[in-house]
Amino acid sequence: MSNLIRSLGYLRVEATDLPAWRDFGVKVLGMTEGRGPDPQALYLRMDELPARIVVVPGERDRLAASGWELADPAALTRLVGVLDEAGIAVKPAGADELADRRVSHLISVDDPAGNRLEFFCGVALDSRPALSSYGTRFVTGGQGMGHVVLPARDDVASLRFWSEVLGFRLRDSMRLVPEHLGLPPSDKPLWMRFLGCGPRHHSVALAPIPAPTGLVHLMIETETLDDVGRAIDRCARNKAPMISTLGRHANDEMVSFYVRTPSGFDIEYGYGGLTVDDDTWVARQTTAHSVWGHRFFGGGGH
């Protein structure tokens, strides 16, 4: 199966502090506040979609779901067939959920690590321009909203599901040292897997990293390096907790820094990520996390 899933579409986050998220999303990340069907929710826009991050009130901070876009209903029907054949329980969305997500078709499944995934098509676009008050422009389009790093302890099961069932391509693997993640030493290698479904180097990475919120980090990409520099300045002005220095990753060449969200997971804020052509790409092991920089304060990473 190839290329049914096109890109990362959105994240749904449950949060205990929506006002902090509103300030963070608009004043630090440079996103635009949108409107939506739920008066209690916060809708954060990056482009013509009505929301790329939807934050809803919750009793704890966690990633409720990541949403993945397909081209059309026929592609979604084919995906349902593949999931059924693999014995994966598929939950179709009801009318309320479709109205809430503002899409024409949607199903949800859990991956082997328990990460909730939503697959959708037919999103209703917002005709009002998403104009950042800081002039920030994000790289989305065919590359989607960015990438997510999801916790996955069972490397074999997770890799099989994402590559053989969902059709993602393995773009890179990185061997990790258990002690660096706060895990006990082991002779068995720990792998972080980077997988892509479109031109972006990776749209998902699977990592054996404990993540109480269900998300290690979300990466969003801007059109210019100055956008990243201005965001660093806004972190300082708004006392947003940066958790790394600026750096360039070895595998996707992204120049970025990391900042902690009000929900406790991280945002990688970057520029200049690699795009790949699957006809010529060769999957390899990367041994270095970064070419330079990305010094993390008090742990964390990737």
Side-chain angles (χ1 to χ4, degrees):
M1 186 181 94
S2 65
N3 231 22
L4 284 180
I5 298 158
R6 296 297 180 87
S7 65
L8 177 65
Y10 59 76
L11 293 191
R12 292 184 64 83
V13 176
E14 284 183 11
T16 54
D17 190 342
L18 254 71
W21 254 104
R22 181 173 284 107
D23 282 351
F24 180 78
V26 174
K27 294 179 181 175
V28 176
L29 301 181
M31 293 184 182
T32 310
E33 186 171 355
R35 296 187 297 234
D38 181 355
Q40 303 297 313
L42 169 66
Y43 298 92
L44 292 171
R45 297 182 61 200
M46 297 168 66
D47 55 12
E48 71 275 19
L49 263 70
R52 289 291 192 174
I53 301 177
V54 179
V55 188
V56 298
E59 290 182 6
R60 65 187 184 95
D61 289 284
R62 70 182 191 99
L63 175 65
S66 55
W68 299 86
E69 187 164 21
L70 285 79
D72 51 36
L76 196 65
T77 300
R78 287 203 299 279
L79 179 61
V80 170
V82 170
L83 291 164
D84 283 342
E85 200 173 307
I88 310 291
V90 175
K91 181 177 171 249
D96 287 355
E97 251 183 322
L98 293 175
D100 185 57
R101 306 298 194 270
R102 290 177 280 190
V103 299
S104 65
H105 297 74
L106 180 122
I107 61 165
S108 58
V109 305
D110 290 343
D111 82 351
N115 300 303
R116 173 55 55 102
L117 314 175
E118 297 182 351
F119 300 103
F120 70 93
C121 64
V123 65
L125 299 182
D126 191 330
S127 57
R128 296 171 305 132
L131 298 175
S132 165
S133 51
Y134 303 102
T136 308
R137 295 174 66 89
F138 295 98
V139 176
T140 56
Q143 297 192 55
M145 79 174 287
H147 73 239
V148 283
V149 179
L150 300 174
R153 292 303 299 273
D154 188 332
D155 181 58
V156 173
S158 291
L159 193 54
R160 184 184 296 132
F161 174 79
W162 282 88
S163 59
E164 294 177 21
V165 179
L166 295 184
F168 280 64
R169 272 83 70 197
L170 180 66
R171 299 271 168 77
D172 269 310
S173 298
M174 187 187 296
R175 188 166 178 161
L176 305 178
V177 179
E179 296 92 309
H180 292 175
L181 306 174
L183 299 172
S186 170
D187 296 335
K188 195 177 169 190
L190 275 183
W191 292 102
M192 187 168 175
R193 307 291 188 180
F194 300 85
L195 299 113
C197 57
R200 195 181 284 284
H201 175 274
H202 59 283
S203 291
V204 65
L206 306 169
I209 297 172
T213 60
L215 177 62
V216 180
H217 76 244
L218 161 72
M219 188 287 301
I220 54 176
E221 184 178 359
T222 60
E223 286 190 358
T224 73
L225 185 59
D226 286 342
D227 286 326
V228 176
R230 290 187 186 111
I232 290 174
D233 287 348
R234 293 197 300 272
C235 285
R237 276 204 308 275
N238 293 281
K239 298 184 171 49
M242 276 180 61
I243 62 155
S244 85
T245 61
L246 194 68
R248 185 192 283 275
H249 280 307
N251 61 354
D252 68 354
E253 301 178 7
M254 189 77 69
V255 176
S256 62
F257 71 94
Y258 290 73
V259 59
R260 188 137 293 165
T261 67
S263 285
F265 62 82
D266 298 331
I267 300 275
E268 180 187 357
Y269 202 98
Y271 159 75
L274 189 66
T275 57
V276 304
D277 176 355
D278 278 307
D279 290 337
T280 57
W281 184 257
V282 178
R284 297 199 167 134
Q285 288 182 34
T286 48
T287 51
H289 180 238
S290 299
V291 179
W292 53 266
H294 284 145
R295 289 190 308 281
F296 283 85
F297 314 126
H302 306 294

